[in-house]
């Protein structure tokens, strides 16, 4: 229905392309390379002059110049504009061009030319064409300098009396604007505009043409002469109005082809003297159009055509498309300007009406979100139940069903999807990445999932942390679309001599297509609303997880008690949680005295950093105490029995643990010696500093596997005899682990710090060690047990 054009440079969006030369033959194979903004020619209903500034010398002219001015184009080049138009007319052009603002807003300039002694009223249409970026005084590129431009003067003879002067454009359409203001629906807006533009311009058919999200077009309103078949309700493929044409239409809002059989008038010279390139005609009213588009119109039986852009937020929303069949048709410039004004007014009304609808829906959704957010504060009710109650997620986003999996609870509202389907769709969405993953054609986009179309055709997924998710689904929505011709047969091969040329299709008969394997689409507004919902859900999950974490922290702190008093041992313990918020670790320590007087030292670290890790820690601590107390088991035997308990009770826990036992025989007591017997299940070795400052890492024995890996793991004891005044330090990996260094380096730094602090009380030793090793806070939990032999 509209011009097929190609991407290009200034004024349109597009990458660098090997453009065709002006005048080079164009067909459907190469039209994407047609430089539509620089066609090198104009429609012959008027003439074009490119004039340098400020000297006003003609540098380019269309070949048909003599027919309107009496000056042959070749004679005009290099001459002052006044020699071509006359002094009075040039002065009027200069006055209009010297005013501030956009020249196009003051078009047309009404002048009179003397043609063979006869006065000819002419509409002079002015704009400036950018030739290149700014240049300094030496001709070098300068971003701070104004760009190099030319004044483009287009002259259209005012055939017949002008219907009204340009300043009275609003008066010409005032009653229509009043009607638009009173319209009660979008359809009323469309119908009023189509009727008014046809009455104003006299075209045989005027259509309002709207794009969908993929830029396929639909005729939503029509005004026509009796006897023409109706196009109302017909759809046209996006390829009829490709992206490069849409980009141009967003800049130049009105285009007229007064006679599709016109012979283009070339601009001479083809290359602009200042740039060596053709003149940019993006904003030209006379710009010659693509021959492919001309042929397209001829195939439709159209003799004249005009289109007006409808914009929303500076993006092309649709068109007012005008066709004439009785012969050439050229509404005066003022009439076209009035029609363009109506298009702008309709664009504004469309934005207002759409915004009203969107605001109304947004308020409803916001109210629902506010209610659901408040309801999530009730932590005694599962979050899934809250979101699937009377007011539910289906009120936020309409769908056939919604499935949620939150905090271990799963639920459905509306139609229920099979569990395996939910699992496959969620896995597919997670693999895609992104906060929101949506499709309205699941079978086409993810055929590997093997999901039948009657189960779910459209899905929208919110992937959430820790495998949680929300999934909406929609059924297939079978649609019947009436096209203006078969959209899958867009081109026709025609033979010209020995060559085959691809030309536009010739059939525009109504062609019905049944569209399957698609659901109702998820709109941009719905996407924005579920993004907001996602934020609310994350806040609710965080708040609930913090409550659980606080409870776990309370439990953890209640278990990490102060060590018992002893005359022969000076002891201190420390626990420092990670600096990461909302995280509970599995680090723990324990110190208790056996009935025989020996002292048990325990340090451990459960694998994981969550509430479950803290719960495992509490279980392991209790089991270890029960196994070790008054049993006579050595540290290795305690670990072996604890391994068996983890397996037998199916705890599924994994942890590193070190168990030590401080004991004395009578002879050792008399000599001031104490024996440390210990065993390790994958834990870091203890550190000992003697009274003389000698540091030792106790690497004897076998560190063994972690607890929970194998109940058959072999555990071995190791022992060392310590002098009075020695200090023993047990610790977890958060104290020595750093991204930039290995464990051995961290342990070495810890040993050095412990040796330097040997004369200070152990409580101060613990605090100073923490200050040196983790000055900015620990990235992981840290547990410490420090013991000095003093008795």
């Amino acid at each position: 229905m509209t011009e097929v054009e190609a991407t290009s440079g200034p004024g349109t969006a597009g990458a660098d392309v090997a453009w065709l030369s002006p005048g080079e033959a164009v067909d459907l194979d190469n039209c994407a390379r047609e430089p539509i903004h620089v066609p090198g020619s104009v429609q012959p209903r008027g003439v074009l002059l490119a004039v340098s500034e400020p000297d006003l010398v003609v540098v380019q002219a269309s070949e048909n110049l003599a027919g309107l001015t009496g000056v042959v184009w070749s004679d005009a080049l290099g001459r002052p504009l006044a020699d071509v138009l006359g002094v009075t007319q040039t002065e009027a052009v200069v006055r209009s061009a010297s005013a501030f603002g956009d020249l196009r807003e003051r078009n047309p300039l009404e002048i009179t030319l003397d043609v063979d002694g006869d006065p000819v009223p002419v509409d002079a249409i002015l704009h400036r064409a950018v030739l290149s970026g700014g240049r300094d005084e030496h001709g070098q590129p300068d971003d701070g300098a104004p760009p190099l431009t030319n004044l483009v003067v287009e002259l259209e003879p005012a055939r017949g009396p002008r219907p009204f002067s340009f300043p009275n454009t609003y008066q010409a359409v005032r009653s229509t604007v009043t009607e638009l203001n009173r319209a009660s629906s979008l359809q009323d807006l469309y119908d009023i505009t189509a009727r008014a533009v046809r009455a104003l311009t006299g075209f045989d058919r005027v259509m309002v043409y709207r794009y969908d999200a993929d830029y396929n077009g639909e005729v939503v309103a029509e005004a026509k002469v009796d006897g023409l078949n109706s196009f109302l309700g017909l759809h046209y493929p996006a390829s009829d109005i490709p992206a490069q044409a849409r980009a141009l239409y967003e800049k130049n809002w009105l285009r007229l082809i007064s006679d599709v059989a016109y012979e283009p008038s070339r601009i001479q010279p083809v290359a602009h003297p200042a740039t060596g390139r053709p003149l940019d005609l993006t904003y030209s009213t006379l710009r010659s159009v693509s021959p492919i588009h001309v042929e397209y119109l001829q195939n439709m039986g159209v003799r004249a055509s005009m289109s007006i852009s409808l914009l929303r937020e500076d993006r092309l929303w649709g068109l007012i498309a005008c066709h004439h069949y009785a012969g050439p048709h050229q509404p005066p410039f003022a009439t076209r300007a009035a029609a363009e004004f109506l298009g702008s007014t309709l664009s504004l009304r469309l934005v207002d009406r759409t915004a009203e609808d969107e605001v109304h829906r947004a308020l409803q959704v916001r109210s629902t979100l506010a209610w659901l957010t408040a309801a999530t504060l009730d932590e005694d009710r599962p979050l899934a139940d809250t979101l699937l109650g009377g007011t539910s997620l289906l009120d936020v986003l309409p769908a056939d069903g919604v499935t949620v999996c939150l905090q271990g609870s799963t639920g459905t509202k509306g139609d229920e999807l099979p569990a395996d389907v939910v699992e496959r769709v969620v896995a597919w969405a997670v693999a895609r990445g992104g906060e929101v993953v949506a499709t309205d054609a699941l079978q086409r986009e993810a055929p590997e999932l093997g999901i039948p179309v009657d189960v779910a055709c459209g899905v929208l997924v919110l992937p959430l942390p820790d495998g949680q998710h929300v999934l909406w689904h929609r059924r297939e929505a079978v649609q019947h679309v009436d096209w203006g011709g078969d959209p899958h047969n867009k081109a026709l091969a025609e033979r010209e001599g020995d060559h085959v040329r691809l030309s536009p299709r010739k059939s525009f008969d109504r062609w019905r297509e049944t569209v399957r394997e698609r659901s109702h689409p998820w709109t941009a507004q719905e996407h924005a609303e579920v993004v907001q919902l996602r934020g609310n859900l994350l806040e609710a999950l965080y708040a609930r997880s913090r409550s659980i974490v606080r409870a776990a922290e309370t439990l953890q702190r209640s278990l990490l008690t102060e060590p018992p008093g002893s005359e022969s041992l000076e002891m201190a313990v420390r626990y420092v949680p990670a600096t990461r918020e909302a995280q509970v670790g599995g680090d723990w320590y324990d110190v208790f005295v056996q009935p025989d007087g020996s002292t048990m030292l325990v340090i451990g670290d459960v694998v994981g950093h969550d509430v479950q890790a803290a719960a495992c820690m509490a279980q392991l601590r209790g089991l270890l105490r029960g196994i070790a107390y008054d049993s006579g088991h050595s540290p290795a035997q305690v670990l072996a029995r604890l391994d068996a308990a983890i397996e037998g009770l199916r705890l599924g826990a994994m942890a590193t643990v070190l168990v030590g036992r401080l004991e004395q025989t009578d002879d050792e007591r008399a000599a001031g010696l104490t024996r440390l017997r210990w065993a390790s299940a994958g834990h870091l070795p203890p550190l000992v500093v003697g009274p003389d400052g000698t540091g030792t890492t106790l690497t004897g024995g076998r560190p063994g596997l972690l607890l929970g890996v194998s109940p058959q793991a072999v555990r071995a004891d190791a022992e060392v005899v310590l002098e009075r005044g020695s200090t023993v330090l047990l610790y977890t990996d958060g104290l020595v682990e750093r991204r930039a260094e290995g464990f051995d380096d961290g342990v070495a730094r810890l040993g050095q710090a412990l040796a330097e602090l040997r004369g200070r009380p152990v409580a101060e030793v613990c605090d100073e060690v923490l200050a040196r090793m983790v000055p900015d806070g620990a990235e992981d939990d840290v547990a410490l047990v420090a013991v000095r032999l003093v008795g």
Side-chain angles (χ1 to χ4, degrees):
M1 292 182 62
T2 56
E3 183 176 349
V4 178
E5 298 177 321
T7 53
S8 70
T12 59
D16 291 337
V17 176
W19 299 112
L20 303 179
S21 301
E24 187 173 346
V26 181
D27 62 21
L28 290 185
D29 268 340
N30 62 16
C31 67
R33 298 190 293 114
E34 183 184 6
I36 57 171
H37 68 304
V38 287
S41 61
V42 296
Q43 299 178 53
R45 69 172 186 267
V47 302
L48 180 143
L49 296 167
V51 182
S52 62
E53 292 184 290
D55 54 354
L56 299 178
V57 171
V58 176
V59 294
Q60 284 181 296
S62 58
E63 290 179 342
N64 61 341
L65 179 64
L68 183 59
T69 66
V71 180
V72 177
W73 68 265
S74 57
D75 294 337
L77 298 180
R79 294 173 59 184
L81 183 62
D83 290 355
V84 180
L85 300 185
V87 174
T88 302
Q89 293 80 356
T90 299
E91 289 175 349
V93 169
V94 170
R95 284 195 299 273
S96 182
S98 62
F100 292 104
D102 189 343
L103 299 184
R104 291 172 294 164
E105 295 177 357
R106 292 184 294 279
N107 285 328
L109 172 64
E110 297 177 0
I111 62 175
T112 300
L113 296 181
D114 184 356
V115 181
D116 296 329
D118 294 326
V120 176
V122 170
D123 289 331
I125 304 157
L126 311 180
H127 76 273
R128 284 189 171 89
V130 176
L131 303 180
S132 64
R135 301 274 174 172
D136 61 20
E137 59 184 0
H138 304 293
Q140 298 302 312
D142 181 0
D143 292 339
L148 177 63
T149 62
N150 265 185
L151 178 66
V152 177
V153 181
E154 297 178 274
L155 305 172
E156 274 193 29
R159 294 178 173 84
R162 292 184 173 94
F164 44 81
S165 62
F166 177 68
N168 293 322
T169 297
Y170 174 68
Q171 297 299 326
V173 296
R174 183 174 183 177
S175 61
T176 302
V177 172
T178 301
E179 276 193 88
L180 290 173
N181 290 337
R182 294 174 179 171
S184 58
S185 67
L186 285 175
Q187 191 58 52
D188 284 345
L189 290 172
Y190 304 151
D191 293 338
I192 291 168
T193 303
R195 291 194 301 267
V197 172
R198 181 169 181 269
L200 186 66
T201 63
F203 278 93
D204 290 338
R205 186 197 306 272
V206 173
M207 298 162 285
V208 177
Y209 180 89
R210 179 182 65 190
Y211 294 137
D212 64 14
D214 297 322
Y215 285 104
N216 297 306
E218 178 187 4
V219 179
V220 295
E222 180 182 56
K224 62 182 182 63
V225 298
D226 294 337
L228 289 178
N229 60 315
S230 176
F231 287 170
L232 185 63
L234 290 185
H235 291 70
Y236 292 82
S239 58
D240 279 7
I241 315 170
Q244 54 267 35
R246 295 194 296 268
L248 191 63
Y249 291 177
E250 289 170 356
K251 302 197 177 291
N252 194 345
W253 297 350
L254 186 143
R255 299 150 300 278
L256 170 68
I257 308 174
S258 58
D259 183 358
V260 299
Y262 77 90
E263 291 292 332
S265 178
R266 290 175 62 83
I267 297 173
Q268 296 291 354
V270 173
H272 192 283
T275 65
R277 296 191 298 269
L279 184 66
D280 184 352
L281 299 183
T282 295
Y283 294 103
S284 168
T285 189
L286 296 175
R287 179 177 59 86
S288 190
V289 297
S290 167
I292 291 291
H293 175 56
V294 169
E295 187 174 359
Y296 181 96
L297 293 173
Q298 290 172 335
N299 289 347
M300 295 185 74
V302 174
R303 296 289 305 279
S305 170
M306 186 174 80
S307 63
I308 304 167
S309 301
L310 298 175
L311 303 177
R312 181 183 179 191
E313 297 177 353
D314 297 327
R315 299 296 301 274
L316 197 63
W317 175 92
L319 297 172
I320 300 173
C322 310
H323 288 172
H324 205 67
Y325 304 92
H329 187 60
Q330 182 179 334
F333 185 90
T335 299
R336 282 139 48 195
E340 183 179 354
F341 180 82
L342 281 181
S344 299
T345 303
L346 175 58
S347 295
L348 292 174
R349 295 298 177 269
L350 290 172
V351 170
D352 290 344
R353 174 67 62 178
T354 305
E356 287 176 11
D357 294 344
E358 290 178 352
V359 167
H360 179 68
R361 169 174 166 74
L363 288 174
Q364 287 183 317
V365 172
R366 188 174 300 174
S367 175
T368 302
L369 284 174
W371 189 94
L372 290 174
T373 300
T376 60
L377 299 177
D378 179 9
E379 296 185 5
D380 293 332
R381 185 182 185 190
L383 191 55
D385 293 350
T386 299
L387 298 174
L388 300 175
T391 299
S392 75
L393 294 178
L394 290 181
D395 296 306
V396 176
L397 182 62
D400 295 307
V402 60
T403 302
V404 301
C405 178
L406 298 168
Q407 294 187 310
S409 177
T410 302
T412 297
K413 181 95 172 183
D415 295 345
E416 184 173 358
L417 289 177
D420 66 312
V421 170
V422 172
E423 182 179 348
R424 278 180 278 163
V425 170
V426 170
W428 167 77
V430 170
R432 289 279 298 271
E435 294 182 344
V436 179
V437 179
T439 176
D440 59 2
L442 184 62
Q443 286 67 35
R444 300 181 190 181
E445 196 160 337
E448 69 277 6
L449 298 182
I451 297 174
V453 70
D454 58 346
V455 173
C457 193
V459 295
L460 187 147
V461 185
L462 287 183
L464 297 167
D466 302 322
Q468 303 174 103
H469 60 264
V470 180
L471 163 62
W472 288 266
H473 67 275
R474 288 174 177 172
R475 291 189 291 266
E476 179 187 31
V478 179
Q479 291 181 292
H480 301 290
V481 181
D482 289 332
W483 295 92
D486 182 354
H488 307 295
N489 183 20
K490 306 180 186 68
L492 178 71
E494 291 187 345
R495 182 168 295 281
E496 296 179 343
D498 295 331
H499 303 284
V500 173
R501 183 180 65 87
L502 290 177
S503 67
R505 57 194 170 95
K506 294 183 177 180
S507 173
F508 296 91
D509 292 337
R510 187 178 296 265
W511 189 89
R512 171 159 287 192
E513 180 181 27
T514 300
V515 180
R516 306 193 67 98
E517 294 188 351
R518 281 192 178 274
S519 70
H520 290 299
W522 311 98
T523 67
Q525 185 177 0
E526 289 172 338
H527 272 251
E529 289 161 355
V530 297
V531 167
Q532 182 181 353
L533 170 66
R534 185 179 188 274
N536 292 351
L537 285 178
L538 289 175
E539 290 180 6
L541 289 170
Y542 175 76
R544 289 182 175 230
S545 65
R546 281 301 302 149
S547 297
I548 297 172
V549 166
R550 284 192 294 270
E553 286 176 342
T554 301
L555 170 64
Q556 188 178 41
R557 297 299 174 86
S558 70
L559 296 176
L560 301 177
T561 58
E562 287 296 315
S566 170
E567 294 181 356
S568 60
L569 301 175
E570 180 188 353
M571 292 183 285
V573 292
R574 293 291 186 270
Y575 175 78
V576 179
T579 55
R580 285 170 287 186
E581 194 174 357
Q583 177 171 291
V584 178
D587 291 22
W588 92 92
Y589 60 79
D590 200 5
V591 180
F592 56 94
V593 178
Q594 295 279 41
D596 62 3
S598 60
T599 300
M600 300 296 294
L601 309 176
V602 181
I603 192 107
D605 184 0
V606 173
V607 174
H609 295 91
D610 53 21
V611 174
Q612 185 177 2
C616 286
M617 178 273 288
Q619 287 179 307
L620 295 183
R621 178 182 182 276
L623 281 171
L624 192 149
R625 276 195 161 204
I627 293 169
Y629 189 75
D630 200 21
S631 64
H633 295 313
S634 71
Q637 291 171 329
V638 170
L639 290 177
R641 292 180 66 85
L642 186 56
D643 237 344
I646 292 173
E647 173 73 13
L649 298 175
R650 298 182 180 179
L651 299 183
M654 293 180 64
T656 67
V657 181
L658 188 143
V659 178
R661 180 186 176 101
L662 291 171
E663 57 191 18
Q664 291 176 312
T665 64
D666 292 340
D667 292 341
E668 289 170 338
R669 184 178 296 107
L673 302 176
T674 301
R675 186 179 303 274
L676 171 64
R677 192 189 306 271
W678 82 94
S680 175
H683 201 82
L684 293 169
L687 289 178
V688 173
V689 173
D692 60 353
T694 302
T696 305
T697 301
L698 301 182
T699 56
R702 299 175 59 179
L705 296 174
L706 278 67
L707 285 177
V709 173
S710 171
Q712 287 79 38
V714 177
R715 308 295 179 188
D717 287 316
E719 61 180 55
V720 64
V721 176
L722 305 175
E723 300 178 63
R724 182 185 295 116
S726 297
T727 301
V728 179
L729 183 70
L730 311 184
Y731 53 95
T732 56
D733 58 5
L735 187 65
V736 295
E737 184 179 16
R738 294 292 177 274
R739 292 190 180 95
E741 66 179 9
F743 277 119
D744 291 343
D745 295 332
V747 171
R749 287 195 300 112
L750 177 60
Q752 181 179 353
L754 193 60
E756 293 173 357
L757 299 168
R758 66 184 184 280
R760 298 169 64 172
V762 292
E764 293 183 16
V765 170
C766 288
D767 293 337
E768 184 63 25
V769 162
L770 289 170
R772 294 189 186 187
M773 299 296 293
V774 285
D776 299 321
E779 297 179 3
D780 196 359
D781 294 359
V782 175
L784 289 178
V785 176
V787 180
R788 181 168 295 152
L789 312 179
V790 298

